[in-house]
Amino acid sequence: MLGGVENHSLRRTAAFFDLDKTVIAKSSTLTFGKSFYQGGLINRRAALRTAYIQFVFLLGGADHEQMERMRKYLSELCRGWNVHQVREIVAETLHELIDPIIYDEAASLIEEHHDAGRDVVIVSTSGAEVVEPIGRLLGADRVVATRMVVEDGVFTGEVEYYAYGPTKAEAVRELAASEGYDLSGCYAYSDSATDIPMLESVGHPHAVNPDRTLRREAAARDWPVLAFSRPVRLKQRVAALPVPSRPTLLAAAAVGAAAAAVGLFWLAGRRRSPRPRPE
């Protein structure tokens, strides 16, 4: 039994996962920067800036203020993007770009939670058009993600719903109320200190590849710290993780497609510590 996952058969519970640097090794939306450039959605200068933001993401060098500046820049960048074109690009390149960067440890943990009868929920600041297809690949039961305003088939650049910081914790509590989850028996996983409100809202919080602030907080609160370091192609786990058809991916991508730009800045985890051995 991995990382203290227990079977609470008499109560309904869930496991809440951040996505970037927790389930996958990179930013889920930054990864699509080259595809957006090739599709004509961004110019060379924007593509280079996207690459730089990905570099900052990997180093874990962005603080809250920097993230807010990037959110504003990227929200404005996506203004006028065609919804259909964005979801086509995401659907056509999802497997190629995301498949190799799923953490094997995270995929195994998701399976263990399902085996324990627990729902799996992805809660991510990245855009819904990216997070929802990835959630389906992973077999997640629900997804909470950032959504952008769409008018006349294009993105206005305004944020409809921003799944960040305390908003994630609110989403967890709302799901618990609507789905009947006992939060004291629920689990949560994240790499970032911005997700402390989400982590402290459940009975079993876990820090995964944590940033320095979250690592200190986890030590102070005696939260388990996990190290995920083995990306694996989902094809190698096909028996356990069903892969949807392209039409299914296109349908999933239709929701909140513009949030791809907003999710570009999501923070990364940094140092790693040994992962608990299975019980």
Side-chain angles (χ1 to χ4, degrees), residues 2 19 33 44 163 182 231:
L2 177 65
L19 181 60
R44 181 175 177 79
D182 177 0

Side-chain angles (χ1 to χ4, degrees), residues 170-221:
E170 293 172 8
V172 167
R173 289 191 291 268
E174 290 173 2
L175 274 175
S178 64
E179 300 298 327
Y181 298 142
D182 177 0
L183 286 177
S184 67
C186 288
Y187 291 67
Y189 303 85
S190 178
D191 71 290
S192 174
T194 61
D195 283 340
I196 288 175
M198 180 179 76
L199 292 171
E200 63 187 6
S201 68
V202 302
H204 303 280
H206 292 71
V208 178
N209 300 338
D211 60 33
R212 285 189 293 270
T213 301
L214 179 56
R215 186 178 294 277
R216 288 195 299 268
E217 194 72 18
R221 301 194 187 201

